[in-house]
Amino acid sequence: MKKISAGIIGFGIGQKHFEAIQNYKKAKVKTICEKNIKKLKYLKKKFPKIKITNRENDIFFDKDINLVSIASYDNYHYSQILKSIKSKKNIIIEKPMCLNLKQLKNIKKLISNSNLKIMSNMVLRVNDLFSNIKKKISKDDIFYIEADYIWGRIKKLFGWRSNINDYSIILGAGIHVIDLVMWMLNKRPHSVLALANNIVTSKTIFKKNSMALIILEFPGNIIAKITANSVAVHEHFHEIKVFTNKKTINNTLKGSFTYTKNNITKNKFSYPDRTNRKKLIHNFIDHIISNKKKLVMSKKEQFDLMSVCLAAEESIKKNKKIKIKYI
Ligand SMILES: NC(=O)c1ccc[n+]([C@@H]2O[C@H](COP(=O)([O-])OP(=O)(O)OC[C@H]3O[C@@H](n4cnc5c(N)ncnc54)[C@H](O)[C@@H]3O)[C@@H](O)[C@H]2O)c1
């Protein structure tokens, strides 16, 4: 069996990566890179057997490491992916993979010329509720989906997200529900119209849009309306409504329900279901160990998703509907 030796960069959400990787099928985290001094000290005490460093090259120059988990701020993702490819390491990348089209094209070119594997942490795909909704509608004709990513964590905007140049609420938050919609439909949209505002944040240090509305048009005239809403006074929530010819399924604060012609039933699936999140990383490790294990999210789906999000940003900038070019 191939031995997995991992390096993790960034120990915010990176802690969840650590918990998923460490000791899964003999996988080990060899090195953690963290640039916050307080965290460095804490990590050294907590994990005396793991190399704790603030130099990312300690991971990239280590020939023993064959998996890099990138959970740094969004603006570091691109260069760290490039370094991972150069040093022949498989990649777990936090969303978003990168911040613009030029970067995306270059990553695709470089990774396609290698035999390395890449995984984006689209955790909603392994969520109990959403994977069961997908099953329930698989034979229906879907005509419309609504998906609201209600972040409910406005404070987070005022840390590193305020400081980096190209931070995008679509790439940084809405991406999760855009993926959910594409995955449920098993289709790629052909065009996107998006609008955004910064009403709630305009007088703060966060100078980008903090709320976006995204309309996707799919083959067969299917329409999706999505919001990336980082400023709502609300708890963190994914409000989803799927309308098919046979039923309507939703996830609301009152619970998740299935409506058919004669019935309303409460869905018993688990949400927010944090316990299943590790499954995505476990699936990726299984896939590295044996190619036969199918990935929850293919490489192509990851690049398609990024193409859609970047086209949505373009639509906001140009104030018009955009035909999506898949790279
Ligand atoms: N998939 C998800 O559900 C999900 C959830 C939260 C965050 N994220 C993504 O994870 C990334 C990190 O976000 P977060 O919420 O964990 O932020 P955070 O501020 O909570 O933690 C990030 C940590 O990474 C460290 N760090 C950042 N850049 C680094 C670098 N270049 N080298 C070493 N250490 C570095 C910081 O010091 C910090 O300790 C972002 O890209 C974010 O979009 C994804």
Side-chain angles (χ1 to χ4, degrees):
M1 191 214 262
K2 201 185 272 182
K3 187 181 135 249
I4 300 293
S5 176
I8 294 177
I9 309 177
F11 211 72
I13 193 81
Q15 179 171 357
K16 301 286 170 208
H17 297 207
F18 174 85
E19 288 161 8
I21 296 168
Q22 187 72 329
N23 296 327
Y24 177 70
K25 299 218 170 140
K26 296 188 184 158
K28 290 271 181 250
V29 173
K30 185 171 179 191
T31 306
I32 298 172
C33 170
E34 174 53 65
K35 57 181 199 169
N36 176 305
I37 304 293
K38 258 194 191 163
K39 276 197 193 174
L40 262 180
K41 281 188 189 150
Y42 160 82
L43 289 168
K44 278 186 181 163
K45 239 189 187 164
K46 174 132 178 118
F47 303 116
K49 290 191 179 142
I50 294 175
K51 182 176 173 109
I52 309 292
T53 176
N54 61 359
R55 292 178 305 261
E56 62 184 36
N57 283 344
D58 287 347
I59 292 178
F60 295 118
F61 291 171
D62 185 337
K63 291 221 162 64
D64 181 50
I65 290 179
N66 54 9
L67 173 62
V68 184
S69 204
I70 302 172
S72 53
Y73 304 147
D74 297 6
N75 53 321
Y76 295 115
H77 293 182
Y78 176 64
S79 67
Q80 289 169 348
I81 288 179
L82 258 47
K83 282 189 176 184
S84 305
I85 298 173
K86 201 168 174 206
S87 57
K88 298 191 171 56
K89 301 185 193 312
N90 299 295
I91 304 158
I92 296 172
I93 180 69
E94 261 311 339
K95 47 82 192 165
M97 196 184 273
C98 58
L99 292 172
N100 61 52
L101 200 57
K102 198 173 161 208
Q103 294 176 347
L104 188 68
K105 284 182 178 165
N106 200 29
I107 295 173
K108 187 167 184 208
K109 188 181 89 191
L110 294 172
I111 203 135
S112 304
N113 290 336
S114 77
N115 55 5
L116 296 169
K117 302 179 194 311
I118 186 164
M119 184 211 107
S120 300
N121 204 23
M122 289 298 125
V123 286
L124 297 184
R125 284 191 179 217
V126 287
N127 176 285
D128 182 56
L129 174 68
F130 298 129
S131 44
N132 276 296
I133 291 181
K134 182 172 161 68
K135 274 184 211 149
K136 267 175 165 274
I137 53 161
S138 65
K139 295 202 174 90
D140 295 5
D141 295 329
I142 302 169
F143 59 93
Y144 176 53
I145 301 188
E146 281 182 21
D148 295 315
Y149 187 97
I150 312 178
W151 207 6
R153 294 169 181 166
I154 188 169
K155 264 196 190 155
K156 285 202 171 198
L157 294 180
F158 308 131
W160 59 267
R161 291 170 176 88
S162 286
N163 301 332
I164 66 175
N165 275 340
D166 291 328
Y167 183 78
S168 148
I169 199 63
I170 294 177
L171 288 165
I175 191 167
H176 278 295
V177 286
I178 294 174
D179 181 53
L180 200 65
V181 168
M182 290 171 68
W183 175 67
M184 283 200 180
L185 287 168
N186 201 17
K187 285 184 169 47
R188 304 190 308 186
H190 53 74
S191 20
V192 55
L193 172 67
L195 302 165
N197 71 34
N198 67 344
I199 294 170
V200 181
T201 45
S202 62
K203 295 200 175 82
T204 71
I205 57 163
F206 185 77
K207 295 300 176 204
K208 296 101 183 172
N209 289 315
S210 47
M211 153 75 205
L213 164 70
I214 302 136
I215 306 217
L216 299 177
E217 290 178 315
F218 289 85
N221 253 343
I222 301 165
I223 305 163
K225 188 194 86 181
I226 293 165
T227 56
N229 184 343
S230 62
V231 285
V233 180
H234 204 279
E235 64 187 68
H236 186 72
F237 200 74
H238 309 94
E239 184 144 352
I240 310 291
K241 292 186 193 133
V242 186
F243 298 87
T244 85
N245 56 335
K246 294 188 185 133
K247 56 179 91 75
T248 300
I249 305 186
N250 64 21
N251 184 39
T252 70
L253 281 178
K254 288 186 179 152
S256 165
F257 299 89
T258 301
Y259 299 77
T260 54
K261 271 193 189 118
N262 307 315
N263 251 320
I264 305 175
T265 47
K266 188 158 192 196
N267 298 319
K268 296 218 171 72
F269 311 118
S270 155
Y271 176 87
D273 181 31
R274 298 207 169 83
T275 53
N276 273 320
R277 286 189 178 180
K278 286 181 184 170
K279 277 189 185 165
L280 207 59
I281 287 180
H282 290 174
N283 165 263
F284 187 59
I285 292 178
D286 289 343
H287 179 72
I288 298 173
I289 294 170
S290 161
N291 254 328
K292 281 182 205 143
K293 183 79 187 176
K294 197 172 170 272
L295 280 173
V296 171
M297 186 178 196
S298 71
K299 210 184 269 184
K300 180 174 179 301
E301 285 176 298
Q302 297 177 57
F303 286 103
D304 285 351
L305 174 63
M306 283 297 297
S307 299
V308 174
C309 293
L310 290 169
E313 278 295 342
E314 187 187 343
S315 171
I316 292 170
K317 277 191 199 102
K318 295 189 173 156
N319 198 16
K320 64 174 195 183
K321 184 158 113 180
I322 298 289
K323 195 168 168 3
I324 301 165
K325 285 186 219 87
Y326 289 95
I327 63 150

